[in-house]
Amino acid sequence: MLEALITSKTRLKLLTKFFLNPQAKAYLRELERSFGESSNAVRLELNRFEEAGLLNSTLEGNRKVFIANTRHPLFLNIHNILRTHLGIDRIVEEITGKLGNVKEVWLSGEFAKGNDSDFIELLLIGTSIDQEYLEKLRAKATSLISRTIRITLLTPEAFIVMKSKIKETDIFLLWEAHPEI
C-alpha cells in the first residue's frame, strides 16, 4: 500500500527506521550497510528529511547521527501511517481486547530497530493470558497482514528483568492498559 505512494525504497526504509521507533538512531554508513543501498542514495534522502525538519542530527565523535524529530507536526501522522501499513495496529487491537490481563504490548526484533522484516515480534506483558485463544488470534492476525507474528508472553516481573538487560532501542511500547477510573 505505502509503496504505491512512496516509490523510493530508500525513503520508505528511512521512514520505517526512524518513525516506527522514535528512539532509533543511526549514522550514514550504518544505514548504507543495513539497507544494502549506496551511500549517495541514503545521504540524499537523509539530507531531504533533515532539511524538511523531519530528522535531527548530532555529532558523536566524527559521525553524524540522525534521529526522528518527534516535535515535527507530521511525526505522529507518519508514525501512525507506518503502524497501519505494517499491520501493527490490527494485531494489537485483536490481541489486547479479548485475552485476559494484558498490561502492555511491546514491539521487539527488527521492526523495533526500524528495519523491515517478514516477522513481527511482540512481547505481551501480563498474567492469566489465555494461550489457546492467543494462538488463534495470532494466526488470524498473521493472515490479515501477511507477515509472521511471533509472540512472547512475560509476567511483569520477568519483563522488568529482561528490559534491564537490553538496549532501549531494541523494544518499543505499542500499547498499555489504562487503569479503570
Side-chain angles (χ1 to χ4, degrees):
M1 165 183 82
L2 208 49
E3 294 84 358
L5 295 172
I6 302 171
T7 56
S8 166
K9 290 182 182 180
T10 305
R11 191 173 300 149
L12 190 54
K13 288 176 184 177
L14 286 171
L15 286 171
T16 302
K17 177 73 175 179
F18 292 110
F19 287 86
L20 187 60
N21 182 351
Q23 298 171 348
K25 294 180 179 182
Y27 59 94
L28 176 63
R29 298 287 180 218
E30 177 184 16
L31 293 166
E32 173 189 352
R33 283 190 301 273
S34 174
F35 296 169
E37 304 276 343
S38 73
S39 61
N40 194 44
V42 176
R43 182 183 298 111
L44 285 171
E45 295 298 341
L46 286 170
N47 289 341
R48 284 184 184 133
F49 284 162
E50 190 173 27
E51 287 170 15
L54 291 167
L55 292 179
N56 293 326
S57 66
T58 57
L59 285 176
E60 292 183 7
N62 63 348
R63 294 180 177 154
K64 187 174 183 179
V65 178
F66 295 90
I67 189 166
N69 177 4
T70 57
R71 295 180 180 202
H72 191 281
L74 294 177
F75 173 81
L76 279 176
N77 292 339
I78 295 169
H79 175 75
N80 290 332
I81 287 168
L82 285 168
R83 286 176 57 143
T84 301
H85 167 68
L86 298 171
I88 292 169
D89 285 349
R90 282 177 141 177
I91 297 167
V92 172
E93 224 174 81
E94 287 287 326
I95 288 174
T96 58
K98 307 166 187 168
L99 270 183
N101 193 10
V102 178
K103 302 284 186 197
E104 297 174 335
V105 178
W106 291 76
L107 182 66
S108 64
E110 289 303 307
F111 273 118
K113 296 174 188 172
N115 301 321
D116 198 359
S117 174
D118 291 334
F119 302 100
I120 295 179
E121 298 179 47
L122 299 174
L123 304 172
L124 261 64
I125 315 308
T127 56
S128 306
I129 294 172
D130 183 344
Q131 292 186 28
E132 187 177 317
Y133 189 59
L134 174 62
E135 179 52 32
K136 288 178 186 175
L137 291 176
R138 188 201 62 75
K140 180 180 175 185
T142 294
S143 67
L144 284 172
I145 64 165
S146 302
R147 292 183 192 263
T148 302
I149 301 166
R150 296 179 179 162
I151 298 175
T152 303
L153 299 175
L154 296 166
T155 64
E157 298 77 20
F159 179 66
I160 290 169
V161 172
M162 185 198 116
K163 192 176 176 189
S164 69
K165 296 178 183 179
I166 60 174
K167 291 193 308 186
E168 192 176 273
T169 55
D170 288 350
I171 59 173
F172 177 67
L173 180 64
L174 292 174
W175 179 88
E176 63 183 323
H178 296 288
E180 298 298 322
I181 297 174

